[in-house]
Amino acid sequence: MTDLSPLVSILLLQAGYNTIVVMLGAAALGAATGIVGVFAMLRRRALVADAVAHATLPGVALGFIVAVTLGFSGRSLPFLMVGAALTAILAALSIQWITNRTRLTEDTAIASVLATFFALGIVLLTVIQTLKTGGQAGLDIYLLGATAGMLREEAIILALFSLVVALAVAAIFKELTLISFDADYARAHGFPVRLLDLAILALVLAVVVIGLRVVGLVLIVALLITPPAAARFWTNHTGYMTLISATIGAASAYFGAAISAVSPDTPTGAVIVLVAFTILLFSVFFGSARGIVVRAFGARQWRGAS
Amino acid sequence: MTSFLQIDLPAMLVGTLAALVCALIGNFLVLTRQSMLGDAMGHVVLPGIVIAFVLAGTTATWVMLTGAFAAALFSAMLVEFLRRMAGVEPSAALGAVFTAMFALGVLLLEQSGVARTTFDVHHILFGNIETAIWPAAAGIRSLFDLAALASLPPQLGRLAFGLVVVALIIVLLFKELRVVSFDPDFARTIGISPRMIGALIVSLAALAAVVSLSAVGVILLVAMMVCPPATARMLTDDLRTQVLLSLLFALASGVFGYAIAVLLPLAFGYEISLGAAGTIAVVAGLFQLAAMLFGPKRGIPRTA
């Protein structure tokens, strides 16, 4: 980490073609999580996202087992992602069922689903480790993320998926904004609040599954929570907030992937999360709308300006 | 018998004691709607443990406890700062801090080179209770041999200490804890501070997390803080009964979960192994599922 020149050259896109594509893929993912995160935060779905992310582990493990059984490579992305999506959906449904049908509160539903699904994933992983198939080490990256060894095609898939997510949000942006700030009003005016909440959950599921490869399932939730939390300090306008959150998410993933690419022993997910948290702390103090410094010194002028 | 004492008994004891201490305090987390706190605790103490180890160069109990407590305290202050000074939404503040602390812990682990020697991030996440062994055991008589008992794995002492402290405080302040858990407003009118008792619950959860983390891993910790109390809550309205039932389910999860991890692979004749921390947590989750489907008190009470 003492010699910064490799980092600088990577940041300026002078590294190999593959690295550039991977970093741009990560940035696209960061933008998508930043966008979806705004609504996940406003509709208080952030911790559900954490449970859903952890619940992808048994799916990844099952995907591996099925792929190997059918004679494919255990690391083939489609199997792992379909498996991850299926168990994540099951977890989301379980949380809903527990919250609606038992007297346990939502936090207990989230925590118990998170723990049980993740534990099942661990058990399956230990089984896989003893199978004599090879390729098990490849599953590690789904825990804490890695961009090393990522294929160009994978990065392009990430970017395309992220674009689809961004377009989906853009298509129903007005409705999402409305239910985020005044769900009762929206309901009274005939907006399908339940359906829109379901759409948010679906988008959360989508970015979590897409993000596993880069950030890992343990920390992906940070990309849904931290960029929107930081963005709120810069503006009160939902449209701008979404743009800023997307930018912060993209920047965190881009720089995180770059730092992780040049220094050994740095899990990509951990670095990305720390970059995002640093941006949050900076925003807390210097954010132009609600930052502490701004509030302390020039509250009146700034409020007038926004 | 000797190999059972050397390998299975210590691991089973570690898993079960961790299950008990976490379930005990978990009852109050579940009732005060703070179930995710166990998850947060399990994540934030990681950098504390790593920094303490790097600075002190030892995994002695007091070093681990100090580091973990410092990290938990620092995180709590950071969350409070983000919530009160900066106005971040509470669950976002918690989420941002616990992911950042865990990320810091993972990075420190990998960078300081202790990752492959002393701690493994997989063990922290998944737990590795199988490393608890008792090589000095040489038969049933070792159970009464003080010299042999002294070489029991150190996690056991840590867990027993945590269990005694948590149990003692809960017994002494049971009335206060009950009032605050069910009716904080009423508690205030009879002179019990919900804030003080709330802080006590959080501190005890932190203690339970610290003593369990390096022994059983984050995931067993989270599962045990939530699943046995949630299971018990489906069966009774009485808090005392709930706490006792949760301990029973924790004990059963520990014993059955460990037995499954050892016996299931044998039964299938494969040379495979199951992580016991995982199987214990899964068994606890299955108990909860059964209770949610069939428990007499599963529904939403009419007089909420």
Side-chain angles (χ1 to χ4, degrees), chain B residues 4 17 43-44 48 60 89 129 137 151 185 193 206 292:
Chain B
F4 174 80
L17 278 181
H43 286 84
V44 300
E89 196 246 321
I129 65 178
S151 71
D185 291 330
S193 161
M292 289 188 305

Side-chain angles (χ1 to χ4, degrees), chain A residues 112-139:
Chain A
S112 52
V113 166
L114 183 155
T116 309
F117 275 72
F118 193 70
L120 186 63
I122 294 169
V123 174
L124 290 173
L125 273 192
T126 51
V127 171
I128 288 176
Q129 263 157 18
T130 46
L131 295 176
K132 307 256 181 303
T133 54
Q136 292 92 333
L139 288 185

Side-chain angles (χ1 to χ4, degrees), chain A residues 44 102-103 107-108 264 295, chain B residues 35 89 233 236-237 298:
Chain A
R44 296 172 195 278
T102 77
R103 65 173 174 180
D107 59 297
T108 304
R295 271 188 299 170
Chain B
S35 297
E89 196 246 321
R233 190 148 163 68
T236 176
D237 281 331
R298 61 189 185 274

Side-chain angles (χ1 to χ4, degrees), chain B residues 174-192:
Chain B
F174 191 76
K175 197 184 71 185
E176 285 80 359
L177 285 165
R178 176 163 57 191
V179 175
V180 169
S181 299
F182 286 107
D183 198 343
D185 291 330
F186 178 66
R188 213 169 282 122
T189 64
I190 58 170
I192 297 169

Side-chain angles (χ1 to χ4, degrees), chain A residues 8-137:
Chain A
V8 172
S9 69
I10 279 202
L11 287 179
L12 297 177
L13 296 178
Q14 285 159 356
Y17 180 61
N18 230 15
T19 316
I20 295 167
V21 176
V22 167
M23 281 163 57
L24 291 177
L29 165 75
T33 54
I35 293 169
V36 175
V38 168
F39 300 101
M41 178 177 78
L42 291 173
R43 290 298 288 163
R44 296 172 195 278
R45 286 293 185 280
L47 295 178
V48 176
D50 194 24
V52 163
H54 281 75
T56 56
L57 186 61
V60 168
L62 284 174
F64 181 95
I65 293 172
V66 170
V68 168
T69 315
L70 295 178
F72 291 89
S73 156
R75 270 190 267 181
S76 58
L77 208 53
F79 283 101
L80 302 182
M81 284 176 96
V82 168
L86 287 179
T87 49
I89 291 170
L90 189 61
L93 292 175
S94 307
I95 292 173
Q96 200 113 44
W97 181 80
I98 295 174
T99 313
N100 291 338
R101 290 301 172 82
T102 77
R103 65 173 174 180
L104 297 173
T105 49
E106 193 187 25
D107 59 297
T108 304
I110 293 172
S112 52
V113 166
L114 183 155
T116 309
F117 275 72
F118 193 70
L120 186 63
I122 294 169
V123 174
L124 290 173
L125 273 192
T126 51
V127 171
I128 288 176
Q129 263 157 18
T130 46
L131 295 176
K132 307 256 181 303
T133 54
Q136 292 92 333

Side-chain angles (χ1 to χ4, degrees), chain B residues 1 13 34 39 59 72 89 91 117 136 188 239 282:
Chain B
M1 187 67 202
L13 273 178
Q34 303 186 87
D39 185 47
T59 55
E89 196 246 321
S91 73
T117 54
R188 213 169 282 122
L239 181 61
V282 171

Side-chain angles (χ1 to χ4, degrees), chain B:
Chain B
M1 187 67 202
T2 302
S3 84
F4 174 80
L5 284 178
Q6 284 178 335
I7 295 167
D8 294 320
L9 182 72
M12 198 188 271
L13 273 178
V14 164
T16 308
L17 278 181
L20 289 174
V21 64
C22 291
L24 195 51
I25 190 61
N27 280 290
F28 300 96
L29 293 178
V30 165
L31 287 174
T32 53
R33 306 188 170 211
Q34 303 186 87
S35 297
M36 286 301 278
L37 205 72
D39 185 47
M41 287 286 177
H43 286 84
V44 300
V45 300
L46 179 60
I49 289 180
V50 178
I51 292 174
F53 172 74
V54 170
L55 290 180
T58 156
T59 55
T61 305
W62 68 270
V63 172
M64 297 291 98
L65 290 180
T66 311
F69 257 119
L73 197 66
F74 176 73
S75 306
M77 280 161 48
L78 204 54
V79 171
E80 283 301 294
F81 165 76
L82 286 177
R83 280 178 56 184
R84 298 196 196 281
M85 300 277 295
V88 177
E89 196 246 321
S91 73
L94 188 70
V97 169
F98 87 73
T99 50
M101 288 293 280
F102 192 72
L104 182 67
V106 169
L107 197 63
L108 288 172
L109 259 183
E110 299 288 340
Q111 289 285 305
S112 63
V114 298
R116 272 164 288 280
T117 54
T118 311
F119 301 111
D120 186 319
V121 68
H122 293 101
H123 292 173
I124 297 284
L125 273 175
F126 299 170
N128 192 17
I129 65 178
E130 288 85 353
T131 52
I133 50 168
W134 187 25
I140 196 85
R141 256 176 300 140
S142 301
L143 285 174
F144 308 98
D145 178 0
L146 281 178
L149 284 175
S151 71
L152 275 169
Q155 304 90 302
L156 272 181
R158 248 174 272 173
L159 285 165
F161 164 77
L163 184 59
V164 169
V165 171
V166 172
L168 209 61
I169 293 178
I170 287 179
V171 168
L172 286 175
L173 294 174
F174 191 76
K175 197 184 71 185
E176 285 80 359
L177 285 165
R178 176 163 57 191
V179 175
V180 169
S181 299
F182 286 107
D183 198 343
D185 291 330
F186 178 66
R188 213 169 282 122
T189 64
I190 58 170
I192 297 169
S193 161
R195 195 180 250 270
M196 290 286 287
I197 295 294
L200 179 76
I201 294 174
V202 173
S203 312
L204 291 181
L207 177 67
V210 167
V211 294
S212 322
L213 181 70
S214 57
V216 299
V218 179
I219 203 61
L220 186 54
L221 177 104
V222 181
M224 284 308 152
M225 281 197 182
V226 184
C227 295
T231 312
R233 190 148 163 68
M234 300 289 93
L235 303 178
T236 176
D237 281 331
D238 178 55
L239 181 61
R240 199 180 299 268
T241 317
Q242 180 193 316
V243 171
L244 293 175
L245 280 174
S246 74
L247 291 176
L248 189 70
F249 284 114
L251 185 71
S253 307
V255 174
F256 288 128
Y258 187 80
I260 288 173
V262 175
L263 298 179
L264 198 63
L266 284 181
F268 281 92
Y270 288 134
E271 274 301 299
I272 61 170
S273 68
L274 299 174
T279 52
I280 294 174
V282 171
V283 169
L286 290 177
F287 276 134
Q288 188 188 337
L289 180 64
M292 289 188 305
L293 289 172
F294 309 113
K297 303 284 181 183
R298 61 189 185 274
I300 295 159
R302 281 173 207 285
T303 52

